[in-house]
Amino acid sequence: MKNLVACLSLSLLSTSVIAAALMKVAVLDFDLDEGEDEPGLDYLVEAARQIDIELELIPLPEARASRLLELNLLDGEAFPYDFPSRKSDNMLKIDVPIESSKLWIWVPQDQNCVAHPDQLSNFKPVGLNGIPYFNIFYQLSEVGFEKVSSPKLMVEMLRRGRADYFAASKRSVEFIYSAQERQQIKPCFDQHFIEITSYFYLNKKHQAIAELLEQELLEVVNSHPDDDDD
């Protein structure tokens, strides 16, 4: 009987260890280029593996991920971009940038560019449903904004004159649009308008491993070439 109890205890302990080593992480794609390889995600998986943690990566929209985190049903979020409107009361920011995106202003090819970025408030942006960084541009506008369901519709909105511009990285535009579609738009200004940086956020219930994970992630990121978006 004692041997049986011992075996059961060992079995339960093993199960507990395995469960503790598995973390469910929401993967939030906040850029237009959904489906493109994300090296930052590889860095995160590698860093977690170094401390014997396996990540179960679950693609989720931000709103649903936030609800699941509040219910302690998720252990973290990957790829949330860090900007002022983002709240993370129930999460710890692992302070190692894993991806950056430089957002340019894109207008119709036959349209004159805005003379200065400060004048964007007088122009109507179009954004994509489900991508929070477009809120930056909605809030800038004093003339309203448009939302559409696909990146290709953003170009169509510009072509029809129903919106004046959208914001995206050059890499996203290159990845998403065909050569014909790219000929219909052009970037404005001599440089990007804003750069947003992506981090990993850990559920506060895992505070005990936050510092160690941050150290490992920093080592992994530093061991790879710069993958920032142009």
Side-chain angles (χ1 to χ4, degrees):
M1 184 68 176
K2 288 183 179 180
N3 289 338
L4 178 59
V5 171
C7 288
L8 287 172
S9 298
L10 181 60
S11 175
L12 289 171
L13 178 60
S14 299
T15 302
S16 176
V17 170
I18 292 172
L22 179 66
M23 291 178 58
K24 295 183 177 181
V25 172
V27 178
L28 312 179
D29 193 341
F30 276 17
D31 211 339
L32 299 178
D33 49 1
E34 182 177 359
E36 185 182 17
D37 290 340
E38 300 283 8
L41 193 57
D42 296 334
Y43 302 161
L44 183 60
V45 170
E46 184 178 339
R49 189 182 299 122
Q50 294 298 323
I51 55 176
D52 297 322
I53 292 175
E54 179 184 353
L55 300 184
E56 180 183 348
L57 304 174
I58 307 170
L60 287 174
E62 182 193 26
R64 185 178 177 191
S66 297
R67 288 195 298 270
L68 292 176
L69 275 161
E70 289 174 2
L71 296 171
N72 280 329
L73 297 177
L74 283 177
D75 300 292
E77 288 182 342
F79 289 128
Y81 284 113
D82 191 35
F83 44 84
S85 63
R86 176 167 176 77
K87 297 181 180 179
S88 55
D89 295 339
N90 58 332
M91 292 180 286
L92 297 166
K93 179 180 175 181
I94 302 301
D95 200 12
V96 179
I98 54 177
E99 184 184 76
S100 292
S101 283
K102 297 179 177 69
L103 303 182
W104 291 72
I105 301 300
W106 299 83
V107 301
Q109 185 65 245
D110 58 358
Q111 175 179 304
N112 292 330
C113 277
V114 183
H116 192 276
D118 289 346
Q119 296 179 0
L120 284 178
S121 61
N122 300 318
F123 294 84
K124 180 188 287 189
V126 58
L128 190 63
N129 290 325
I131 298 186
Y133 77 62
F134 282 111
N135 290 331
I136 298 171
F137 303 94
Y138 303 153
Q139 293 167 8
L140 279 178
S141 176
E142 297 178 0
V143 294
F145 56 85
E146 300 286 345
K147 289 185 179 182
V148 294
S149 58
S150 76
K152 294 183 182 298
L153 285 176
M154 293 199 301
V155 171
E156 185 65 15
M157 292 289 280
L158 298 191
R159 190 183 68 79
R160 293 183 179 185
R162 295 183 58 186
D164 299 308
Y165 76 92
F166 66 84
S169 68
K170 288 185 175 180
R171 185 176 66 185
S172 293
V173 167
E174 183 72 23
F175 180 77
I176 293 169
Y177 296 115
S178 67
Q180 182 179 1
E181 289 166 329
R182 293 198 299 272
Q183 289 175 358
Q184 299 177 42
I185 57 176
K186 64 182 178 183
C188 285
F189 313 131
D190 295 330
Q191 62 180 11
H192 60 278
F193 177 76
I194 192 173
E195 182 173 2
I196 52 177
T197 304
S198 173
Y199 293 88
F200 175 64
Y201 285 78
L202 188 66
N203 191 310
K204 285 184 176 178
K205 67 182 179 180
H206 297 301
Q207 187 167 2
I209 66 167
E211 184 175 349
L212 181 58
L213 181 59
E214 186 169 305
Q215 292 173 357
E216 293 294 340
L217 185 56
L218 181 60
E219 288 185 12
V220 172
V221 170
N222 286 341
S223 68
H224 289 80
D226 186 3
D227 286 305
D228 285 359
D229 205 351
D230 291 327

